[in-house]
Amino acid sequence: MRRGADARSILASGGHVREHPRRRGVRARRGYRGAVATLSSLLRRGLLGRPVTSHAADEPRMNRWRALPVTSSNALSSLAYAPDEVILTLVAAGTSALALGPAVGWAVVAVMLLIVVSFRAAVAAVPHGGIYHMAGMKLGPRAGVVASAALLLDFVFTAAVSVAAFAHFVAALAPGLTVGSRVLVASAALVGVLLAALRGVRLSRWVLPVLVSVFVALTALLVLAGLWQEGRGLLGAAPTAGWTQEGAGVGGTVGTVATALLALRAFSAGSVLLTGVEVPVSSTRLMARPAVPTVRWVLTVMALTLGALTVGVMHLAQRTGVVVGLELENLRDAAGAEVTPDRAPAPVLAQLADTVYGPGSILSVATIAATALLLLFAAKSAFRSFPALAARVAEDGYLPR
């Protein structure tokens, strides 16, 4: 009876099947969900790129000349802000305390060399697994967890400091940037670095070695040119030479003790130079075989290069009278006037580039720009290293999987 009624209804409608309203609603909802899923897939593909297999994501092993700039980029980028931390602390003891800058730089470099020597010995004993596995094997699982926790925090701080320093160097290239604009620049840089890390941009395979080489060459040229000018009596004063901090310096025995304590504090602050020196040890699996000799060679060349550049920069900063400060309301220029936000001191490297090469010169702009770009790559490296280390720690049950 039902079939006959259905046939008659079909014939009465001219041969077209009438779909039940409930079925039409179900199909409409499915179409809506499909459209949303497609839009979500397109958005995810646009942000993260095409998915790749683990085998396709593996990077080829690097020889020593390619591994040197790639694995040294984090450590070299710390040269962009380590001298600032030293001078920022010493200026609180008065202008005369800035003469301690080179000595503090030598002390930091000595500690870095000591750490590199220990890494060279440790990587021969535990060639794979990085700092986490190395500490766990030699000192116990708890020491491995402590080392990994310190590294994870270091990655977070590296990303934050790198993008903040990037905005500082951008402001050196564009002095008209306000404080609010610098915050926007740093925020945009952080988002850009995050997206680049999520997409796994392969551009860094050849850009990073070139950028690191350019940065080292320009910084070495800056130091050599500054030393040559100093020897000829041609080295000028930095833009902030003669600047002071209001209320800085205490006389007498108390002042001597305070200066000594501030020098120790400057040494502690300048130890940010050690950031990233462990990267070659953690990248053993990426080195060409035999990996251990390659890692040891990279550590040695990286430490000597970074140490020489640091000592040279600190020496020139002291000779040119570079001053930096965070609390602008307490800074006074050479004439005793208060320093306004639009006259905020540039980073140490930027001031030295302007002093040695001349403000706005091609070499000065190139040095500042190369430093800023290197800071972005250092932040990107931190974004990539954090999940990799966290995954290894989670495999051992010390983090949620």
Side-chain angles (χ1 to χ4, degrees):
M1 188 71 181
R2 182 181 299 275
R3 292 180 179 177
D6 290 342
R8 286 193 297 272
S9 64
I10 292 174
L11 292 174
S13 61
H16 299 286
V17 180
R18 294 180 179 178
E19 186 177 16
H20 195 279
R22 182 178 298 175
R23 293 182 179 178
R24 287 200 300 269
V26 170
R27 192 170 64 191
R29 286 193 297 271
R30 289 177 178 174
Y32 173 75
R33 293 173 183 171
V36 171
T38 302
L39 180 61
S40 175
S41 177
L42 291 175
L43 181 61
R44 184 170 61 251
R45 181 71 58 84
L47 291 176
L48 305 181
R50 295 180 178 275
V52 295
T53 62
S54 299
H55 177 71
D58 292 339
E59 298 182 1
R61 290 181 175 267
M62 300 179 290
N63 59 36
R64 58 175 55 184
W65 291 107
R66 188 170 182 273
L68 177 61
V70 171
T71 59
S72 302
S73 58
N74 274 19
L76 290 170
S77 69
S78 62
L79 184 60
Y81 46 83
D84 299 63
E85 295 297 323
V86 174
I87 296 175
L88 183 66
T89 305
L90 290 178
V91 75
T95 307
S96 59
L98 295 177
L100 298 174
V104 174
W106 275 104
V108 173
V109 169
V111 173
M112 180 195 64
L113 293 176
L114 181 62
I115 292 177
V116 168
V117 169
S118 66
F119 278 162
R120 280 174 52 87
V123 75
V126 186
H128 302 290
I131 302 299
Y132 167 61
H133 184 66
M134 188 180 295
M137 286 285 293
K138 294 299 181 180
L139 302 176
R142 184 170 297 180
V145 173
V146 172
S148 64
L151 282 176
L152 291 175
L153 288 176
D154 180 64
F155 294 149
V156 175
F157 292 145
T158 297
V161 171
S162 295
V163 295
F166 168 78
H168 204 185
F169 276 90
V170 171
L173 290 174
L177 283 179
T178 62
V179 176
S181 300
R182 296 179 190 180
V183 174
L184 292 178
V185 169
S187 301
L190 185 62
V191 173
V193 168
L194 173 61
L195 293 178
L198 290 175
R199 287 185 61 91
V201 177
R202 300 289 184 178
L203 191 64
S204 60
R205 282 187 174 182
W206 62 272
V207 171
L208 184 56
V210 173
L211 177 60
V212 171
S213 302
V214 170
F215 169 78
V216 171
L218 289 174
T219 308
L221 180 61
L222 172 66
V223 172
L224 293 176
L227 294 176
W228 181 83
Q229 291 180 5
E230 181 187 3
R232 293 296 185 93
L234 303 176
L235 184 62
T240 56
W243 289 23
T244 58
Q245 181 170 311
E246 190 176 27
V250 181
T253 305
V254 176
T256 303
V257 175
T259 300
L261 292 177
L262 281 174
L264 294 176
R265 175 67 180 84
F267 167 78
S268 174
S271 295
V272 295
L273 185 73
L274 308 179
T275 300
V277 296
E278 81 288 344
V279 173
V281 179
S282 303
S283 306
T284 308
R285 61 182 180 84
L286 301 177
M287 305 290 186
R289 294 185 178 92
V292 172
T294 302
V295 172
R296 289 163 62 93
W297 182 85
V298 169
L299 284 170
T300 301
V301 177
M302 176 194 70
L304 294 177
T305 303
L306 180 58
L309 293 178
T310 301
V311 171
V313 168
M314 293 304 303
H315 174 79
L316 290 179
Q318 188 269 329
R319 300 298 295 174
T320 57
V322 172
V323 174
V324 293
L326 291 179
E327 299 178 354
L328 299 182
E329 63 274 9
N330 295 331
L331 283 180
R332 299 292 182 269
D333 61 14
E338 184 176 347
V339 177
T340 56
D342 61 314
R343 298 172 57 207
V348 172
L349 273 181
Q351 292 193 46
L352 289 180
D354 286 342
T355 303
V356 174
Y357 298 138
S361 63
I362 296 178
L363 286 176
S364 175
V365 172
T367 302
I368 299 173
T371 306
L373 291 177
L374 184 62
L375 287 166
L376 287 184
F377 276 93
K380 179 177 177 292
S381 175
F383 270 98
R384 293 187 61 185
S385 300
F386 187 98
L389 177 59
R392 290 199 298 270
V393 176
E395 289 176 356
D396 294 337
Y398 297 110
L399 283 177
R401 296 187 179 182

